[in-house]
Amino acid sequence: MNILYVASEVVPFCKTGGLADVAGSLPNALAQAGENVAVILPYYKKVHEKFGGQFQFKGYDYIQLSWRHAYCGLFKYEMNGVKYYLIDNEYYFGRDNLYGYDDDPERFAFFCRAVISMLRNLDDMPDVINFNDWQGSMIPGYLKMDAFNDESLRDIKTVLTIHNIEYQGKTGLSDKADVLGISGTCVDYGQYEQDGCVNLLKGAIVLADAITTVSPTYAQELLTPAFGQGLEGILEHFEYKMYGVLNGIDTVRYNPETDALLSANFTADTLKNRQENKAALQVALGLEVNPDIPVIGMVSRMVSHKGLDLVEEAFEGLMDMGVQVAILGQGDARYEEFYKGWAAARPYQVGLTIGYSDALAMSIYGGADLFLMPSKSEPCGLSQMIAMRYGCVPIVHEVGGLADTVTAYQHGTDIGNGFSFGAYNSHDMYNVVKEAVGLWKDYNEEFTAIIKRDMAGDFTWDKSAQEYIRIFESLN
Ligand code: GLC
C-alpha cells in the first residue's frame, strides 16, 4: 500500500510538540512493516537552515488558492526507507516560527492545497493519505473537489488523526471564499462550518474516510462535553469511523542502554549506574547532591491542561515532604513565575530550567526517581512512556493515554508500573505523591520491582503500526 503521511511538524526536521515525534517514528514503523511510505511537510525556514543542502529539488508549480496564485517548490529526501517531501513557499513558510501567525489558516490551507495539487509529482500516487490535526484538515476537502473532475483521484482514501482537539483551526466565515476557496463547491454544504465560523478540524471529521486518535481512552473521552471542545456531538455522529490507537515511542532513539545524552548508560540489570545520572542531574540543577533524597522530575509545556494548577496548589506540601523537584519547560508566564519564585526560595530543593533542552530532558528521565504528569487532559502523552523506559516511575492523572499506559501499583502485589489518581484535585494528587515517596523511601525492593516493570514495558510502534495498517486496508 502507498501511504502518504501529512504533518505540519516532523522529527528530526522540526518540532514543537508530540505530533513531531509521532510523525518522526510512525512512518518508519509502517515502512518496516512493508508499506511504501512517504511523509510530506512544509519547508520551514528552520528546516532549510538545518537540512537545506541535503534535499533534492523535484520541481515546482503554481498553486491556485482562492484568488491567490502562489509558487510551490517540491523537495525530496530519503531516510531509513521513508521518502520525505517538502512543500516550499518562501512567503508562507520562510518565517522564524512554525505557527503563531495571524494567517495560519491561510498558510496551512495553502499547504494542503499544495499537497493535493502536487500528488502527481510524487514518486507514487497514494492509496491512503493520513493527515494530522487542523493543519492537515483541508486535505479531504481539496481532494474531493479535485476528484470531482479527475477520476484518478477518487479511490484515494483519507484518514484524519487527532492529536489534540483543543486546536481546531477556526477562522471567519468569509475566509471560505477569500482564503480556502471552497465557496460554492462540493465541500461547501456546511462541512467546514461550526457555530458560525469556519472550523477546519470539524470539516475533516465530516469528510475523512476514517478518524483515529492517539489513545483508546481519549477516543471515548472525545465523545463527552468535558473533553470534546464543542465537537463531541459531531464526533458521536461519526463514531462508526473512529478508532483509538495508542502511540508508541522511538525505542531506538530512547534507549537508556545506548543514549549518549546520559552520564551513565544502564539497563534493568545495571540500575546501580542510574545513581550516577541522579547525581549528575542534582549537580546540573544546583540541587543538594544526595542519593537519599527522592527527585521528582517534570518535563512539560507550562500550560494549564498539563495539570500545573494542581502542582501549584500542592507545591508547599511537596516541599515539606522533603523531596527535590527537577522542572524543565516553558509556557505561560503565570507558571514560569510560580516556579521561579520557588527556585529562588529553595535553590537546593527546586531545580528549574525555563526552555527546552534534549540533554536536560534525558537527564531528568534517566536520573529522577519519579515523574509527575498530572495532566487535566492528555490525548496520549509520550513523556510518561519515555520516563518508564528510563526507569523513572510515573505519577499520573488517570486520563487519556496516561490511563492507557500507567497502571497503579497495588500494595503487596506485583501489579502496577506507576501511581495514579482518578479525581482531578490537588489533595488526591498530593496523597498519591506521598504514597510513591513513602514506597521509594521505605520499600526499596517493591519500588525497584516497579522500575523493572516500567523498563520491561513494550513502548514500540509495532502493535500500533499493525492497527493503522488494518484501518487503512479496511478502507480500500
Ligand atoms: C499532542 C497531545 C499528546 C500526544 C501528542 C502525540 O501533543 O497533546 O498527548 O502524545 O500529540 O500524539
Side-chain angles (χ1 to χ4, degrees):
M1 196 172 15
N2 296 339
I3 300 166
L4 179 62
Y5 196 83
V6 181
S8 58
E9 49 184 278
V10 181
V11 162
F13 305 109
C14 49
K15 166 173 170 172
T16 73
L19 164 63
D21 292 299
V22 172
S25 47
L26 170 59
N28 288 312
L30 294 169
Q32 262 158 33
E35 307 298 338
N36 181 17
V37 189
V39 177
I40 191 159
L41 68 152
Y43 195 1
Y44 301 107
K45 185 173 168 190
K46 280 195 172 126
V47 180
H48 179 72
E49 284 164 2
K50 239 166 87 186
F51 290 84
Q54 303 176 47
F55 300 143
Q56 176 201 348
F57 182 65
K58 288 275 287 178
Y60 70 94
D61 207 341
Y62 281 85
I63 304 295
Q64 196 72 31
L65 180 68
S66 180
W67 51 266
R68 297 167 184 80
H69 197 59
Y71 170 88
C72 173
L74 184 70
F75 286 83
K76 186 185 164 192
Y77 183 68
E78 258 187 87
M79 187 169 53
N80 301 327
V82 176
K83 290 170 189 156
Y84 294 85
Y85 294 101
L86 298 107
I87 294 288
D88 181 32
N89 176 293
E90 174 77 27
Y91 170 70
Y92 287 126
F93 303 124
R95 309 184 189 183
D96 289 338
N97 295 307
L98 273 56
Y99 322 118
Y101 301 97
D102 286 347
D103 61 347
D104 280 356
E106 179 180 330
R107 297 170 67 225
F108 290 97
F110 168 79
F111 172 58
C112 294
R113 182 67 269 179
V115 170
I116 299 301
S117 298
M118 299 301 270
L119 285 178
R120 284 185 203 297
N121 300 66
L122 310 184
D123 289 356
D124 308 286
M125 266 309 237
D127 300 306
V128 176
I129 304 180
N130 185 183
F131 62 96
N132 293 276
D133 282 350
W134 75 264
Q135 291 93 339
S137 286
M138 282 309 300
I139 290 283
Y142 292 140
L143 182 65
K144 285 215 161 39
M145 278 163 64
D146 286 10
F148 201 74
N149 296 317
D150 181 347
E151 210 173 316
S152 70
L153 297 175
R154 284 184 202 157
D155 288 337
I156 302 177
K157 304 296 180 195
T158 56
V159 178
L160 159 69
T161 299
I162 301 175
H163 295 262
N164 195 334
I165 197 120
E166 285 185 38
Y167 310 102
Q168 299 179 1
K170 294 182 186 173
T171 174
L173 267 193
S174 60
D175 282 357
K176 263 193 336 181
D178 183 51
V179 175
L180 306 178
I182 59 172
S183 277
T185 70
C186 65
V187 297
D188 187 26
Y189 294 96
Q191 291 95 326
Y192 280 104
E193 285 173 39
Q194 167 95 347
D195 298 334
C197 61
V198 165
N199 184 317
L200 298 178
L201 189 67
K202 187 252 170 177
I205 289 169
V206 174
L207 295 172
D209 295 298
I211 305 166
T212 72
T213 187
V214 289
S215 70
T217 296
Y218 193 57
Q220 290 308 308
E221 290 169 348
L222 281 179
L223 305 177
T224 67
F227 291 91
Q229 300 279 343
L231 295 181
E232 59 277 3
I234 197 82
L235 282 168
E236 201 179 3
H237 186 79
F238 289 107
E239 197 187 346
Y240 67 88
K241 60 174 180 182
M242 193 168 161
Y243 307 84
V245 185
L246 193 66
N247 286 335
I249 56 173
D250 180 344
T251 49
V252 176
R253 159 65 191 89
Y254 295 118
N255 183 353
E257 201 176 349
T258 52
D259 194 330
L261 293 176
L262 295 179
S263 300
N265 291 114
F266 61 96
T267 66
D269 298 324
T270 55
L271 278 177
K272 263 207 163 60
N273 298 353
R274 207 175 177 280
Q275 287 298 333
E276 214 179 292
N277 295 324
K278 178 167 172 176
L281 176 65
Q282 288 172 323
V283 170
L285 294 178
L287 300 166
E288 179 185 337
V289 182
N290 182 341
D292 298 327
I293 301 176
V295 177
I296 301 179
M298 290 176 63
V299 179
S300 175
R301 270 186 299 132
M302 291 184 183
V303 292
S304 82
H305 77 252
K306 292 294 179 183
L308 297 182
D309 43 342
L310 298 195
V311 181
E312 207 173 298
E313 281 172 37
F315 209 77
E316 193 161 355
L318 299 185
M319 292 287 96
D320 293 344
M321 247 183 244
V323 300
Q324 293 180 345
V325 184
I327 309 166
L328 169 63
Q330 61 187 355
D332 296 350
R334 170 184 153 200
Y335 298 114
E336 292 187 359
E337 292 309 317
F338 175 81
Y339 292 119
K340 277 186 200 160
W342 275 103
R346 310 262 187 130
Y348 304 113
Q349 214 180 344
V350 180
L352 171 69
T353 302
I354 300 285
Y356 185 77
S357 142
D358 244 359
L360 186 56
M362 296 327 295
S363 60
I364 291 177
Y365 294 125
D369 302 294
L370 291 158
F371 190 79
L372 183 57
M373 195 164 172
S375 307
K376 189 170 186 181
S377 72
E378 195 61 77
C380 178
L382 304 172
S383 311
Q384 83 279 12
M385 292 194 255
I386 303 173
M388 286 192 266
R389 188 150 162 81
Y390 284 66
C392 187
V393 177
I395 303 172
V396 303
H397 175 218
E398 288 154 19
V399 75
L402 296 175
D404 292 335
T405 52
V406 178
T407 320
Y409 172 63
Q410 291 176 27
H411 284 273
T413 71
D414 54 9
I415 296 172
N417 58 3
F419 299 86
S420 65
F421 57 100
Y424 186 71
N425 70 65
S426 59
H427 289 286
D428 288 19
M429 186 194 84
Y430 171 84
N431 286 332
V432 171
V433 174
K434 200 164 164 195
E435 176 195 346
V437 167
L439 199 80
W440 183 88
K441 281 193 172 144
D442 300 327
Y443 296 88
N444 188 266
E445 229 169 84
E446 282 82 349
F447 197 88
T448 306
I450 298 177
I451 297 180
K452 294 201 170 182
R453 283 197 288 278
D454 280 335
M455 295 185 69
D458 178 6
F459 304 113
T460 63
W461 270 104
D462 301 350
K463 227 171 58 203
S464 301
Q466 289 306 329
E467 264 182 75
Y468 274 98
I469 292 169
R470 256 198 309 278
I471 294 166
F472 297 161
E473 276 173 350
S474 74
L475 302 175
N476 279 304

